[in-house]
Amino acid sequence: MPSLSPPPRRIIVSHRLPLRSTPDPSSPFQFSFSLDPDSLPLQLSSSLPSPPLFVGTLPLPSPSSSLSDELSQHLLSTFSCLPVFLPSDLHHHFYHGFCKHYLWPLLHYLLPLSPSSHGGLPFESALYRSYLSANKLFADRITEILNPEEDFVWVHDYHLIALPTFLRKRFPCVKLGFFLHSPFPSSEIFRTIPVRDDLLRALLNSDMVGFHTFDYARHFLSSCSRLLGLGYQSKRGYIGLEYYGRNIIVKILPVGIDMGQLQSVVSSPETASKIRELKETYKDRVLIVGVDDVDIFKGIGLKFLAMEKLLEERPELQGRAILIQITNPARSQGKDIQEVRDETHSIRDRINTRFGQPGYQPVVVIENRPVPMYEKAAFYAMAECCVMNAVRDGLNRIPYTYTVCRELSPALSDSSKKSVIVVSEFVGCSPSLSGAIRVNPWNIESVSEAMYSAISMSEVEKQLRHEKHYKYISTHDVAYWAQSFDQDLQRACQDHSVKKNCYGIGFGMSFRVVALGPGFNKLLVENVVSGYRKTCSRLVLLDYDGTMVSQSLIDKRPSEEVIQIVNRLCADPSNVVFVVSGRGKDDLAKWFEPCEKLGIAAEHGYYIRWNRDSQWETSACINTPLDFDWMKVVLPVMRQYTEATDGSHIEQKDSALVWHHQEADPDFGLCQAKELLDHLEKLLANEPVVAKRGHHIVEVTPQGISKGVVVETIISAMQDHNKAPDFVLCVGDDTSDEDMFEAVRNCANKPEIPKITEVFPCTVGNKPSMAKYYLDDTVDVLKMLRALADTGQPGPGSSQSYVSFDDPF
């Protein structure tokens, strides 16, 4: 029986390694190390298909260079941990500067309106460079051990947002997932970051990006739409972003807790001993517990004010209700931390002075020391209610932990296994706790009422809420989360097994990878010129907006250079050149009046003329006069949407009506376009017209009118004049141009048409298309057309005179 190959390795990357360090003079490193069971990277590792490798910094200053290699080898062999050594000054500017005092506050909706704004720093280029330098050192370390063909890399949190770009630049096909554990703010907040595009593109250099809640994912997608013009699609339950040929999956799932680790803590002798102590200390008291980090977003002061209000309005609770507030050590430095401490101490002292009695303090703060997990578990087990009052928090698993401790504690009888949670609606865990009492932390009276409701509700109601929470928490633990993320990351990376042409574009943090299918390539000018020279009957089909002139220009008239290039191409008797556009005939005729031999198809081919001196004809597919009474129905509907959508407008053509929303709010314009299309499709169900969406437009046109019909008409006319094309260049950027590409492909395969030896269907912009080739933008298009015009070399059969198509019908 053949041996099974081991599963691909997982590389877990986070700011800190899952290690604890203690001073140890006997060690050559002066510290001894052990795994940290409370570390999330370690907790998720047990559920992965194979033991992972951890990459991160150490919880101590970097050792001397002489010891760093030896320490790295020791940690790698003993704990599967590969340390990243950051110089102390770099780490300080990276972590305490850019991460904790700029990026972290901003992700939590705190704008640095002034340098003294609660410790939030204004953006500084020097700190951002430190952030990038630290991320690059992480990439350097990962590069030493990465097998890009096999390994999966899972990057965690905002400290390392830039890392995907550094890795993708070195390994275009790296299998990379990113999970953001903090909130992702609304686009209005995120857009204030001066390097916002850098950070967005970095996240998009991952194969999958994970968030705790749909709100965070929605804000991310909105930022991608508003800043980068990217849309998203939901298919079979998965949200996907198309980004330069790569499909990025957006994953939404909150992190769970480690049930096994927590159960071992709850059942430990230390926990049981602490519970006995607490029962004696707080006999006949009603305990409310809160556990928070010391920072400006946890709302500790607001929680204390709600407790004060509770005691004011419910005198019967004075002497009974106690709020136990455990504060974890601060993770950053700065005056904002001291301000939080000063505020909480002031409110605590006031409450205890007003309502305290001998042997009774209504607010007990446990601080100034790391509180071991067994002690927290004992407080959780004894508390009737847990209050999580943060004004903004990424997830916060404290309510999960509280619920499990109440359920699993052997010190509680079955009848005591009940709990109530008061949780801020601005905390990531709130949507998953459907039985919790959700509050606005800024509304002191509301929080106070919620606390009273929690401790006074019926025992049956407490039991039902507890059971509902425990069922969810126990089935959606950290193992479930890790397995789900890992499986979806594998699914997101399935495209890597499909042969694609990948290459990088952009410099610095603008770098991204373009992934092209095997039959979709960038159009090379030299290849077009070569085919151009070898042929004698050429057809050049050019869209106008977005192809010959940029969509971003307000003045849409062709430049003098465009006119010169078109005239030079038309001057070659071997060429037939057409502009095929959705624009009206009057504008196109006026703009290209200097181009005597240029053919024009206007309004997607409803009108066509073969040169400047010929008459406009309607499409060959129209045998009877069209009835345009439908416009009388459509126009009022479009006007209604125009009035309701600021920035939109209507374009009225002879054969079509177009509703434009390019200048409207991106999200609202897209929403209105979908609604308008649905409205029109129902309204025009029995009319001989087609309603369709294009690039920032909704258009209604007669049936049978398309750019594809134009292509068939021109090629057929050329064949009737014994000038069947052997070279076709077709360039366009919009969805309407896909009809041209399809028609060119079909004509090239028709047996009744002489073989077209050189065919170049080309879309503008790298995106899914029926074209075989693409060019990046209008600059590339003009460069290619200029090269053809400069060739100036008639084809082998060009001795024949110019064929005029004055009246091909």
Side-chain angles (χ1 to χ4, degrees), residues 544-557:
Y544 186 69
D545 292 273
T547 300
M548 302 177 74
V549 295
S550 173
Q551 292 279 15
S552 62
L553 293 177
I554 296 178
D555 184 0
K556 297 295 185 180
R557 294 175 299 177

Side-chain angles (χ1 to χ4, degrees), residues 162-182:
L163 181 56
T165 291
F166 289 108
L167 289 177
R168 187 69 64 187
K169 191 169 187 177
R170 302 179 192 192
F171 308 103
C173 292
V174 63
K175 301 171 182 178
L176 177 59
F178 185 97
F179 197 95
L180 184 67
H181 294 275
S182 74

Side-chain angles (χ1 to χ4, degrees), residues 758-774:
E758 302 290 341
V759 183
F760 300 97
C762 177
T763 188
V764 180
N766 175 24
K767 56 184 180 291
S769 172
M770 297 190 71
K772 188 177 179 181
Y773 304 98
Y774 81 94

Side-chain angles (χ1 to χ4, degrees), residues 162-389:
L163 181 56
T165 291
F166 289 108
L167 289 177
R168 187 69 64 187
K169 191 169 187 177
R170 302 179 192 192
F171 308 103
C173 292
V174 63
K175 301 171 182 178
L176 177 59
F178 185 97
F179 197 95
L180 184 67
H181 294 275
S182 74
F184 194 98
S186 67
S187 62
E188 286 77 11
I189 298 293
F190 188 81
R191 282 184 293 167
T192 65
I193 303 176
V195 291
R196 59 195 188 179
D197 287 5
D198 290 359
L199 301 183
L200 265 191
R201 292 189 187 280
L203 289 173
L204 292 171
N205 275 325
S206 307
D207 293 294
M208 186 166 77
V209 184
F211 301 93
H212 289 304
T213 72
F214 174 71
D215 274 351
Y216 303 161
R218 177 169 57 86
H219 295 156
F220 169 71
L221 295 171
S222 177
S223 295
C224 289
S225 171
R226 292 174 178 273
L227 296 176
L228 303 179
L230 301 179
Y232 69 91
Q233 290 184 332
S234 183
K235 185 177 181 181
R236 295 180 181 177
Y238 291 92
I239 299 175
L241 281 161
E242 187 75 23
Y243 183 62
Y244 288 92
R246 296 172 51 246
N247 190 42
I248 292 89
I249 300 296
V250 177
K251 173 77 172 175
I252 304 168
L253 186 65
V255 179
I257 60 173
D258 189 338
M259 291 291 293
Q261 185 254 354
L262 188 54
Q263 186 166 12
S264 66
V265 172
V266 171
S267 58
S268 69
E270 294 88 350
T271 304
S273 175
K274 187 65 180 179
I275 289 176
R276 289 193 295 269
E277 177 188 331
L278 296 179
K279 282 183 176 180
E280 184 65 28
T281 304
Y282 298 105
K283 185 178 181 180
D284 298 327
R285 309 291 194 191
V286 178
L287 296 189
I288 302 171
V289 70
V291 179
D292 299 280
D293 294 343
V294 180
D295 67 54
I296 58 178
F297 298 109
K298 292 303 185 288
I300 301 174
L302 295 174
K303 188 189 307 181
F304 286 5
L305 292 175
M307 183 65 181
E308 183 178 36
K309 193 74 174 176
L310 177 65
L311 296 175
E312 284 177 356
E313 298 188 349
R314 307 289 178 177
E316 69 273 16
L317 293 178
Q318 296 177 18
R320 292 184 59 232
I322 298 177
L323 173 61
I324 305 291
Q325 177 63 50
I326 301 175
T327 57
N328 299 319
R331 301 187 187 186
S332 63
Q333 306 165 358
K335 65 178 182 180
D336 55 312
I337 302 300
Q338 189 57 48
E339 288 175 357
V340 170
R341 290 195 180 102
D342 293 344
E343 178 192 39
T344 55
H345 290 170
S346 174
I347 301 174
R348 176 200 62 187
D349 294 343
R350 185 179 73 228
I351 296 173
N352 288 342
T353 300
R354 287 184 63 191
F355 302 105
Q357 303 170 10
Y360 168 73
Q361 285 190 328
V363 177
V364 176
V365 178
I366 302 174
E367 59 182 347
N368 299 326
R369 64 180 177 89
V371 180
M373 188 59 207
Y374 78 84
E375 187 174 343
K376 292 179 183 177
F379 276 107
Y380 290 142
M382 291 297 298
E384 291 288 320
C385 168
C386 176
V387 180
M388 179 53 56
N389 202 50

